[in-house]
Structure formats: structure tokens, C-alpha cells
Amino acid sequence: SQQGEEDPQALSIQEGENATMNCSYKTSINNLQWYRQNSGRGLVHLILIRSNEREKHSGRLRVTLDTSKKSSSLLITASRAADTASYFCATDAPDSSYKLIFGSGTRLLVRP
Amino acid sequence: NAGVTQTPKFRVLKTGQSMTLLCAQDMNHEYMYWYRQDPGMGLRLIHYSVGEGTTAKGEVPDGYNVSRLKKQNFLLGLESAAPSQTSVYFCASSYIGQPPYEQYFGPGTRLTVT
């Protein structure tokens, strides 16, 4: 069963615009992570936010977490063509913190 | 430092054939994982290991077996391949230290079962 569900499933924007992806999950969590997957490649960790944090920044990435709504958002500012990829949220599993449950992902296309 | 590597990158099997996927990591990580990714879906955990000599079932373990004889290697076996096992398989590893556990992924193995 999938814990996180991303919205939208696909997003197409122009280079320079901001991209926002949302993730909803079902059970309480200790932390939430975002990963990027370029076409045909493995996943790469982008950023992590703990359950006691509300917002976190890393370069052009901004992540928010609302535990009351069981949701998170990933904002990529000033997008570039190289940001074209699929983005997945992952939460720690209810039964163990070292297992992750991944959402179905958002496919982002940044048009040059 | 190669990180997480997977062998082979591609494979085509006939129904009923067997094969083993090899995952190796050089980061001295305790935890290792095998996932499958199907079109339009996220990753689903097949099996995982919390240390050398230990394995455990994940969300979708049926039809697969695993072994962790050495800390750096995690093998995924398909004893009798079925078309439903056509997928991209990813191996990952993570450090045993304090949570949260960021996972490091290999490049994947694309398996087609005909």
C-alpha cells in the first residue's frame, strides 16, 4: 500500500517558472523525504523534513510540512530544463523508521 | 567511491527461467533494500536487510528470494520468472546511525519476462 500520494501526476511549466508538487500521506510520520528520479536512473535524495519542522530550504528547493493535514509540498523556484524529472515523496513506515514508503510521483517537464 | 551498483542493467527472461540480480555498495551501510518500480507507480519494497546474514519481507515479496551473505552485497533471486515480474528493480542502502534514514539508490535493472 502506498502511504504518499503526489499531486499533480504530471506538471509542465516554462523554464524560469516555479513548480509546486504536493504529497499527502495517511498515517503519522517521523519525517518525510523528497527524491528526484531522472529518466532511466535511480532515485536521488533531495531534502528531508522532520515532523516537528514546518518549512525547510535547500538552494532552490522549499519544502513545507503540515502534519495536521498530513501533507507536504515541494516548491522548485526558477526552474531549469535540467529539473525535468519525476519527484517522489517518501515517509517512514509505521512499523520501522528505516523503511520508506514512496508515493506514486509527479512527472515534471520544464520546457526551455 | 562507486556508491550503489547493480548488475545486470538489462535482462530478458522467458517465463519459468531463473536469475539473480546483484547489488553492491561500498559505503559500509548496514541496511539494504530491493524495490520494484512499475509504470506510473512509486517504488514498492520487495525485501530488505538490516545487516549481514539477515533478511526480511517487504510489501511485495512473493516470487522473490534474497540473500545477504556479505555486508556489501544484497542478492535478489527470481526462481521461476513470470510476466508479472516485468519491472525495473532498484537496490538501495542506508546508514545504521540515528534516523532519519536517507537511502542511496543504484541505477536500476530493467527486467522483461516474456
Side-chain angles (χ1 to χ4, degrees), chain B residues 42-68:
Chain B
L43 277 69
R44 291 184 292 169
L45 183 63
I46 304 171
H47 285 281
Y48 64 98
S49 168
V50 298
E52 183 179 319
T54 73
T55 63
K57 294 180 180 180
E59 181 187 357
V60 289
D62 294 341
Y64 306 94
N65 57 75
V66 288
S67 64
R68 183 102 181 265

Side-chain angles (χ1 to χ4, degrees), chain B residues 2-6 23-27 29 32 91-93 104-107:
Chain B
V4 180
T5 58
Q6 293 183 232
C23 175
Q25 52 94 5
D26 61 2
M27 296 174 284
H29 285 170
M32 296 188 75
C91 176
S93 69
Y104 295 79
F105 283 82

Side-chain angles (χ1 to χ4, degrees), chain A residues 61-72:
Chain A
L61 304 180
R62 172 178 166 252
V63 170
T64 61
L65 179 64
D66 187 334
T67 53
S68 67
K69 295 181 179 179
K70 292 187 170 60
S71 67
S72 173

Side-chain angles (χ1 to χ4, degrees), chain B residues 48-93:
Chain B
Y48 64 98
S49 168
V50 298
E52 183 179 319
T54 73
T55 63
K57 294 180 180 180
E59 181 187 357
V60 289
D62 294 341
Y64 306 94
N65 57 75
V66 288
S67 64
R68 183 102 181 265
L69 298 180
K70 293 183 179 180
K71 184 178 182 179
Q72 62 268 35
N73 295 338
F74 195 27
L75 279 64
L76 177 71
L78 286 72
E79 291 185 345
S80 179
S84 61
Q85 294 177 304
T86 293
S87 189
V88 182
Y89 292 85
F90 289 97
C91 176
S93 69

